[in-house]
Amino acid sequence: VLFSSSSFESFRHPERPPIAIALLSMYRLFLLLVSGSYGAQVSSLRSLSAMHMEEPRGEVFGKPPHRRLRFMDYMPQYNFVPCACAKCGTTSMLHFMYSRIFQEAWPFNVSDNSRDIHNVFQDMWEHKGVPQFLLVHDKEKQEQLMKSAYSLGIVRNPILRLISSFKSKIQCSTGAHKGDPHRADYVKQLRGLQGKETNETCLDLDAFAEALHQIHREGKEQFLNDHFLPQNLACFHTYPPKQWQRVVEVGHPDIFKILAWKLNHTNTTPLAAHGSGNKVQLTEKSLDLLQKVTKKEFAMLKDYLEKQSFSPGDEI
């Protein structure tokens, strides 16, 4: 799962060398293969999950030297590979999954960054001492799981997703809308990918769209923060939608039916959705630039999205 969030806990730790991550994942898979009982592996898996908590999931503070996607997240007890991009309903999805697995709501406040529900490798995601998620880096094992496990990809209209990310992470405060407390860092990262130093703490929609357009034009989009990373570089970077068991647009009721079914639960009622009533108006310039930067995404996802048209002046 690219269950990405605005948690900055993961950015406080130095990045592990790729070979260390690969060896760690191979060891975890070895534990699974040599024993049919999870109970005997609890101690080892717990320590390994704690180590994975610290793996960076994206860079905010300037351009990273390379991009390593965190893929794939596998739920072995359910033989399930779920994946959703940032701003694709991951918060609602994870709260639903947690409540069905543990029979209780997530017990921490959303403002508690040390206990972010999106961090599926922390001890709170252990059920009876057993981690619910394993991180599979091995390409051969990924190939096997894409054939044998049930895979679910959740997608979103690319323009709506970028505007949602803009409002959440970049937009200047307006009235009751306060935005992300780390907004200046997101702005700094965008400007950094443009090769610009800045003291700006927020941007308007035109400036945001201009920044994305330049970054895409210069071939740097793979370095974008998860909230702005194109969906063709996230869940579907290695396996295109046609190779997944199901690909569903965010908001479709089938999502929670599938989750309940895979988690052996009968209650398919989604939890209360979170969101903002804040609206932003599309300008002719911003719409044109956003259409250009999302062209590849729309080409890949056209068969999975409801048709929707946008015009300058639309409030979203």
Side-chain angles (χ1 to χ4, degrees):
V1 181
L2 286 174
F3 283 143
S4 305
S5 74
S6 59
S7 170
F8 280 68
E9 185 68 20
S10 57
F11 302 140
R12 299 193 186 111
H13 303 280
E15 188 169 2
R16 289 190 176 85
I19 188 171
I21 297 296
L23 290 172
L24 184 59
S25 297
M26 290 174 65
Y27 177 59
R28 295 181 73 172
L29 290 171
F30 172 76
L31 289 175
L32 288 175
L33 293 172
V34 299
S35 171
S37 169
Y38 277 6
Q41 306 169 16
V42 168
S43 179
S44 295
L45 288 175
R46 182 182 290 114
S47 61
L48 289 170
S49 293
M51 293 173 71
H52 273 300
M53 278 179 63
E54 301 177 357
E55 182 185 355
R57 297 165 66 181
E59 293 288 340
V60 164
F61 305 109
K63 178 180 175 180
H66 66 280
R67 176 85 184 183
R68 187 180 72 253
L69 293 173
R70 200 197 82 199
F71 182 83
M72 71 178 39
D73 290 359
Y74 174 55
M75 303 183 75
Q77 293 191 86
Y78 306 101
N79 197 28
F80 186 30
V81 178
C83 191
C85 62
K87 304 305 290 185
C88 286
T90 56
T91 301
S92 298
M93 179 177 173
L94 286 170
H95 276 282
F96 179 91
M97 294 172 72
Y98 187 91
S99 69
R100 299 309 184 263
I101 294 172
F102 297 94
Q103 302 298 307
E104 63 178 8
W106 180 254
F108 298 99
N109 190 284
V110 68
S111 62
D112 185 356
N113 283 341
S114 67
R115 286 296 190 176
D116 182 2
I117 195 170
H118 299 78
N119 180 1
V120 294
F121 299 111
Q122 61 181 301
D123 58 358
M124 286 302 299
W125 276 100
E126 292 182 9
H127 187 224
K128 298 180 180 179
V130 179
Q132 297 300 292
F133 289 88
L134 295 179
L135 183 58
V136 180
H137 277 300
D138 182 77
K139 298 300 182 183
E140 185 176 346
K141 184 62 177 177
Q142 287 182 0
E143 286 278 356
Q144 293 173 2
L145 290 174
M146 288 302 289
K147 294 175 182 177
S148 62
Y150 189 92
S151 53
L152 171 66
I154 298 178
V155 300
R156 187 174 185 181
N157 182 295
I159 287 180
L160 291 180
R161 175 176 172 256
L162 283 178
I163 291 175
S164 177
S165 296
F166 164 76
K167 292 191 292 185
S168 173
K169 308 300 178 187
I170 300 291
Q171 185 182 22
C172 301
S173 298
T174 55
H177 173 71
K178 301 303 180 185
D180 193 286
H182 301 281
R183 181 176 54 201
D185 296 315
Y186 286 100
V187 174
K188 181 179 179 180
Q189 189 259 2
L190 277 177
R191 291 305 198 196
L193 289 176
Q194 289 182 279
K196 298 179 180 180
E197 293 186 8
T198 184
N199 292 320
E200 298 165 292
T201 59
C202 63
L203 300 174
D204 63 24
L205 185 58
D206 281 358
F208 171 68
E210 283 179 339
L212 288 180
H213 184 249
Q214 179 184 337
I215 291 165
H216 277 252
R217 191 177 65 243
E218 294 177 358
K220 301 176 183 177
E221 63 269 28
Q222 72 270 26
F223 298 124
L224 286 165
N225 175 271
D226 292 339
H227 294 85
F228 318 123
L229 185 72
Q231 292 170 82
N232 53 295
L233 297 180
C235 296
F236 310 110
H237 181 258
T238 303
Y239 301 97
K242 64 182 180 181
Q243 294 188 31
W244 292 68
Q245 294 281 342
R246 282 293 304 273
V247 175
V248 186
E249 186 173 8
V250 65
H252 197 289
D254 279 0
I255 292 174
F256 295 100
K257 293 177 182 178
I258 293 170
L259 292 176
W261 165 58
K262 287 307 299 177
L263 299 177
N264 302 319
H265 210 282
T266 57
N267 186 349
T268 63
T269 304
L271 306 181
H274 76 292
S276 168
N278 177 44
K279 300 284 186 180
V280 63
Q281 188 175 74
L282 280 174
T283 64
E284 184 174 352
K285 179 179 182 178
S286 63
L287 178 57
D288 176 61
L289 294 174
L290 291 176
Q291 287 174 332
K292 288 177 179 177
V293 302
T294 57
K295 185 176 181 180
K296 290 181 180 178
E297 284 182 85
F298 274 111
M300 180 187 70
L301 300 176
K302 64 180 186 300
D303 294 333
Y304 307 95
L305 300 173
E306 285 190 9
K307 293 186 182 300
Q308 188 166 357
S309 60
F310 301 96
S311 301
D314 286 351
E315 291 191 347
I316 298 174

